[in-house]
Amino acid sequence: DTAVSQTPKYLVTQMGNDKSIKCEQNLGHDTMYWYKQDSKKFLKIMFSYNNKELIINETVPNRFSPKSPDKAHLNLHINSLELGDSAVYFCASSPTGVREQYFGPGTRLTVT
Amino acid sequence: SQQGEEDPQALSIQEGENATMNCSYKTSINNLQWYRQNSGRGLVHLILIRSNEREKHSGRLRVTLDTSKKSSSLLITASRAADTASYFCATDGSWTGKLIFGQGTTLQVKP
């Protein structure tokens, strides 16, 4: 299936741990994004890569580090997890010149 | 800071009725987009309207844009139970493709 996929779908971990979320798109898109959606459904951009180059880096703690090994993958690594990091994280992608974005199913992160 | 404000926050209607959601924003935009999110799922793009357009249709969806008032509306006609979801407006105002989302309208369509 052509899509944006994320792993894992659910992630439960303790404070202080380090975790990664992976995203892959097989749509041939050049740009990928990470969003955070909080418990009130507020969705906020975190990072964006275009052809492996970081183009959006919002004000997020430097415990969050994105990595794009190639233009089909954008991973999110989070160090020293905190309770406030609990949220749903969405990956998205879009082709160059086309502004609509295609979202993955989300990763629900729960920090205890 | 969040740009989009949506109104109402929640809307409950009967199947067959029309649903209207409104979105206001603060700065200039290249385009405005509407997305749907079903419970526990990712967002799905519905429609994009460019800053030089005033109205756009797609199936049962009608979107209007008033750049002088910095507002947009999404009309869903002849609603169905399957339209039950949260609807978000998102503004695109930069070359990066960065979208700024509103807080969404939760629509419930009762059979």
Side-chain angles (χ1 to χ4, degrees), chain B residues 66-87:
Chain B
D66 187 336
T67 52
S68 66
K69 294 182 180 177
K70 292 186 168 59
S71 67
S72 174
S73 68
L74 171 68
L75 168 68
I76 304 174
T77 59
S79 63
R80 305 167 182 167
D83 295 328
T84 294
S86 293
Y87 292 81

Side-chain angles (χ1 to χ4, degrees), chain A:
Chain A
D1 288 343
T2 55
V4 180
S5 60
Q6 296 179 227
T7 53
K9 187 167 175 60
Y10 299 97
L11 185 53
V12 181
T13 188
Q14 291 185 326
M15 284 175 55
N17 285 348
D18 302 339
K19 290 293 178 186
S20 291
I21 306 171
K22 296 186 176 183
C23 177
E24 176 181 4
Q25 55 93 5
N26 60 4
L27 298 165
H29 293 170
D30 296 311
T31 308
M32 296 183 72
Y33 311 81
W34 276 112
Y35 289 87
K36 179 181 180 180
Q37 186 174 44
D38 65 21
S39 58
K40 295 183 179 179
K41 293 190 176 179
F42 175 44
L43 198 68
K44 191 173 188 304
I45 182 79
M46 300 174 69
F47 303 103
S48 175
Y49 273 75
N50 178 268
N51 281 319
K52 302 197 295 176
E53 179 184 351
L54 183 66
I55 58 169
I56 297 174
N57 186 359
E58 290 294 292
T59 307
V60 299
N62 57 16
R63 299 181 294 103
F64 290 79
S65 54
K67 283 191 172 54
S68 181
D70 55 61
K71 74 173 193 177
H73 295 85
L74 180 61
N75 304 323
L76 183 65
H77 188 75
I78 315 170
N79 289 327
S80 303
L81 279 155
E82 300 178 358
L83 293 176
D85 298 331
S86 294
V88 182
Y89 292 84
F90 287 99
C91 177
S93 70
S94 65
T96 301
V98 177
R99 308 302 274 192
E100 52 259 39
Q101 297 180 14
Y102 296 74
F103 282 76
T107 296
R108 181 174 293 277
L109 171 65
T110 303
V111 182
T112 61

